Amino acid sequence: MIHPVAVIGAGPYGLSTAAHLRARGIPVRVFGDPMVSWRAHMPAGMILKSVPSASNIDAPQRGHDLVDYCDAAGIDRLVTDEDLVTADTFVAYGDWFRKKLVPDLEQVRVVSVDRRGRAGFELKLDSGEQFTARAVVVATGLSGLEHVPGELAAAVPDGPTPTGPLSHSAQHHDLSRFAGKELLVVGAGQSALETAALAAEAGATVRVVARGKGRVRFGEPPWRQPRLRPDTPFGRAWSLYFLTYYPHQYRQLPPQARHFLTKRVLGPLGAWWLRERFEGQVTVRDVAAVQRLTVSGDRPCVSVRTHGGRRADLVADHVIAATGYRVDLAALPFLGDGLRTRIATSRGTPRLGAGYVSSVPGLYFTGMLGGSSYGPVMRFVCGTEFASPRLAGHLAAAHG
Ligand SMILES: Cc1cc2nc3c(=O)[nH]c(=O)nc-3n(C[C@H](O)[C@H](O)[C@H](O)COP(=O)(O)OP(=O)(O)OC[C@H]3O[C@@H](n4cnc5c(N)ncnc54)[C@H](O)[C@@H]3O)c2cc1C
């Protein structure tokens, strides 16, 4: 009996990988809630920071780019760096891509994956079904990797929730719940700044708490990008060019260098078009350190150390930690212990070889989970162009 390959995840990476595997004639079962990170875990009204040319989900055949979706849907073509892609359009593009290339997606969760001798892997689904896969691709993206720093999280032993004093930015879609409320947003990246602007537009009084002096910054618009540097999906710079187009070489760097670059490159920076919606609507509080969160009654208070070395207490109705995501294999609940302990890791992230394979033959990781091996481009949709054909090629050669 020929066992299928299981792809866990139906976001841009899972859909793209599945399309590539299928084009090679490999039987695939694909699981997940399609485009759920974009539909439910990002704020309504959000606009992508990535430009249209960096927002394509890679497919094995021509005709599946964002611009092809625009043509099929009869909407204005999104092509130049000044055209803004709304999250709604991107979700609709993902759904169109799925219907065309992964029509038999199964909208169920994988609850466990374990080794099954030479046959491959044993998977259990939340439908109760159990089956064997010859190889597994983990493309679970942002799911379960939300990071809240300990100094904030310690105040909410049951974890952050949208209705309690503290939440993570991924727990919100509709920010209108904060109309008339005082909100603190901790963070300085695009997610923090856009969440703050959207909440202010919805009627909240918003302060952004950012660590470091002058930390809240916005990128230059396309017409002010330096012309003598190479173009990349993230702006014009040699460093970005290397990271975008040479992920293989990135994998050969020493681990310390890779972890440093993964953290530092493409650091916090608001999109150029957000500046005018943000400034004047949102107050920024630059601080030396966020020290702790306490809750008095149901009002949270964030204690900070100012740049002058004093303590200040910032009180609000709610605090949103827009503090990003951290890859940690321990946070993927479906990986059985027997399997997890066999995966070679570096600081909790899987160490991947050529073709995105882990140290367990037949077990692949892509998207953000491949970031510490293949670089920061893996955190973005445009990374599918590099990852998906290579992963599918490796898997076809080894298990096809
Ligand atoms: C606020 C915000 C804005 C962003 N803006 C941009 C941008 O402008 N441009 C850009 O390129 N990137 C952007 N990103 C990054 C973007 O989210 C990722 O590039 C992209 O979503 C990664 O796709 P993915 O397929 O790896 O994961 P996801 O899109 O997170 O999809 C994960 C999939 O895994 C499935 N899944 C998880 N666990 C299981 C399980 N146990 N069983 C079955 N299925 C499971 C989920 O149902 C889902 O289908 C942004 C991120 C955030 C948070």
Side-chain angles (χ1 to χ4, degrees):
M1 155 153 195
I2 299 179
H3 298 300
V5 170
V7 175
I8 311 176
Y13 276 88
L15 295 175
S16 170
T17 311
H20 276 273
L21 289 169
R22 202 153 275 170
R24 288 172 174 271
I26 297 174
V28 188
R29 290 185 70 179
V30 192
F31 306 99
D33 192 349
M35 301 297 285
V36 68
S37 293
W38 296 85
R39 244 184 317 105
H41 301 294
M42 299 184 194
M46 191 186 100
I47 293 172
L48 271 64
K49 191 177 169 191
S50 56
V51 295
S53 60
S55 305
N56 295 317
I57 304 174
D58 194 67
Q61 312 89 348
R62 285 172 175 275
H64 299 90
D65 283 352
L66 179 62
V67 73
D68 300 309
Y69 163 71
C70 295
D71 290 346
I75 59 174
D76 286 347
R77 294 187 122 213
L78 299 163
V79 271
T80 75
D81 286 2
E82 287 163 55
D83 290 335
L84 305 184
V85 185
T86 65
D88 284 348
T89 299
F90 189 66
V91 169
Y93 165 49
D95 285 338
W96 173 82
F97 184 103
R98 167 177 61 89
K99 284 182 193 138
K100 289 189 75 186
L101 298 178
V102 195
D104 47 1
L105 168 77
E106 299 175 55
Q107 298 199 25
V108 291
R109 284 190 75 74
V110 173
V111 291
S112 76
V113 182
D114 267 305
R115 275 298 281 183
R116 180 150 198 252
R118 284 166 175 255
F121 302 86
E122 185 73 37
L123 278 84
K124 286 190 192 132
L125 308 179
D126 70 357
S127 59
E129 188 191 338
Q130 201 162 321
F131 75 100
T132 304
R134 69 172 111 160
V136 172
V137 179
V138 181
T140 49
L142 308 176
S143 313
L145 304 182
E146 301 83 3
H147 170 67
V148 178
E151 55 271 25
L152 298 177
V156 288
D158 295 336
T161 55
T163 48
L166 172 73
S167 59
H168 186 273
S169 51
Q171 292 177 306
H172 297 283
H173 180 62
D174 180 5
L175 292 165
S176 67
R177 67 160 69 222
F178 296 114
K181 299 262 168 47
E182 285 180 72
L183 188 62
L184 288 176
V185 177
V186 179
Q190 169 72 5
S191 168
L193 306 185
E194 196 170 11
T195 295
L198 286 163
E201 287 166 2
T205 304
V206 189
R207 278 177 292 174
V208 163
V209 182
R211 219 158 24 104
K213 274 194 178 140
R215 197 63 188 270
V216 170
R217 294 180 301 126
F218 294 88
E220 291 292 347
W223 57 91
R224 284 214 208 106
Q225 292 280 334
R227 291 201 184 283
L228 293 174
R229 297 193 195 143
D231 200 10
T232 81
F234 311 109
R236 287 177 177 266
W238 284 106
S239 57
L240 298 178
Y241 186 81
F242 168 73
L243 291 166
T244 308
Y245 298 110
Y246 294 92
H248 263 319
Q249 282 76 357
Y250 185 91
R251 199 165 60 80
Q252 314 299 342
L253 294 173
Q256 296 88 331
R258 281 189 281 110
H259 287 297
F260 177 81
L261 288 168
T262 302
K263 261 191 162 175
R264 290 297 169 87
V265 177
L266 297 170
L269 189 70
W272 61 274
W273 44 261
L274 187 59
R275 183 193 289 272
E276 67 180 24
R277 286 171 53 193
F278 182 92
E279 290 177 348
Q281 306 299 318
V282 176
T283 314
V284 176
R285 184 72 193 247
D286 275 353
V287 302
V290 173
Q291 292 182 310
R292 66 189 182 121
L293 173 71
T294 48
V295 182
S296 163
D298 56 359
R299 297 238 324 151
C301 167
V302 176
S303 302
V304 299
R305 185 157 43 79
T306 66
H307 290 297
R310 296 227 175 91
R311 179 180 135 170
D313 290 336
L314 311 176
V315 179
D317 292 307
H318 186 80
V319 178
I320 296 181
T323 40
Y325 298 80
R326 256 195 207 164
V327 175
D328 181 4
L329 280 195
L332 302 185
F334 53 86
L335 287 180
D337 284 344
L339 180 59
R340 192 197 317 271
T341 50
R342 293 186 54 189
I343 304 170
T345 58
S346 171
R347 299 192 196 173
T349 68
R351 283 213 320 251
L352 304 180
Y356 291 77
V357 70
S358 71
S359 58
V360 176
L363 181 63
Y364 294 75
F365 291 89
T366 189
M368 196 174 168
L369 296 163
S372 68
S373 294
Y374 283 92
V377 69
M378 297 303 298
R379 301 200 310 247
F380 299 91
V381 173
C382 63
T384 56
E385 184 181 342
F386 183 86
S388 303
R390 284 167 180 84
L391 190 160
H394 188 282
L395 197 153
H399 308 274

